[in-house]
C-alpha cells in the first residue's frame, strides 16, 4: 500500500509539472500567471468536488467549455490557413492570419484566467459560507 502511495504521489507531481510547463509555454501573455495559479485552482477543484461544488463544476463546464473549444478550433483553422498562405507564397495573407491567430490566442488566455478566478472565488465563497462541509 505504501509503494502504491509513493508511486501515485510521484505521478501526481510529474503530471502537475507537465501541466504547469504546458500552461507556461503554450498560453501567451498570462501563461506564467496561470502556471503559478495551477496549484490553487487544483486545490479549489478538489474542494468543489464535495457537495454543492459538483454543480459548480458542471456550470463551469457548461459555460466555459464551448467557448474554449471554439477558440481552439479557430486557432487551429487560422494556423492551417497561415500555413497554406505560406506554401502559396502569399506573405500578406500569412501575416494577417498570424495576427488574427494571436488575437484568438490572447482571447483564449483571457478566458482561461476568468475561469480560474471563477473557480477560486467560488471555492472561497464555499469555505467562508460553510457550504463545502
Amino acid at each position: 500500500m505504501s509503494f502504491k502511495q509513493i508511486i501515485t504521489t510521484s505521478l501526481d507531481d510529474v503530471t502537475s509539472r507537465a501541466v504547469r510547463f504546458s500552461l507556461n509555454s503554450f498560453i501567451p501573455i498570462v501563461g506564467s500567471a496561470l502556471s503559478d495559479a495551477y496549484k490553487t485552482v487544483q486545490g479549489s477543484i478538489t474542494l468543489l468536488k464535495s457537495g454543492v461544488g459538483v454543480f459548480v463544476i458542471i456550470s463551469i463546464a457548461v459555460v466555459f467549455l464551448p467557448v474554449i473549444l471554439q477558440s481552439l478550433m479557430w486557432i487551429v483553422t487560422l494556423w492551417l490557413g497561415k500555413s497554406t498562405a505560406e506554401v502559396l507564397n502569399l506573405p500578406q495573407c500569412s501575416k494577417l492570419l498570424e495576427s488574427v491567430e494571436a488575437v484568438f490566442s490572447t482571447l483564449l488566455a483571457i478566458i482561461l484566467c476568468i475561469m480560474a478566478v471563477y473557480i477560486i472565488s467560488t471555492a472561497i465563497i464555499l469555505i467562508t459560507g460553510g457550504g463545502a462541509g
Side-chain angles (χ1 to χ4, degrees), residues 13-82:
D13 189 41
V14 169
T15 304
S16 176
R17 286 183 183 172
V19 169
R20 290 181 70 200
F21 175 75
S22 299
L23 287 172
N24 197 13
S25 300
F26 297 117
I27 298 177
I29 301 168
V30 293
S32 60
L34 279 177
S35 173
D36 293 338
Y38 173 71
K39 285 281 190 187
T40 307
V41 172
Q42 187 179 23
S44 298
I45 288 178
T46 303
L47 174 70
L48 292 177
K49 283 183 181 178
S50 63
V52 178
V54 172
F55 297 109
V56 174
I57 292 173
I58 292 171
S59 69
I60 289 170
V62 167
V63 171
F64 288 104
L65 199 58
V67 178
I68 290 172
L69 290 176
Q70 216 171 22
S71 296
L72 287 172
M73 288 174 28
W74 272 105
I75 290 169
V76 168
T77 304
L78 290 166
W79 178 80
L80 288 172
K82 180 187 78 156

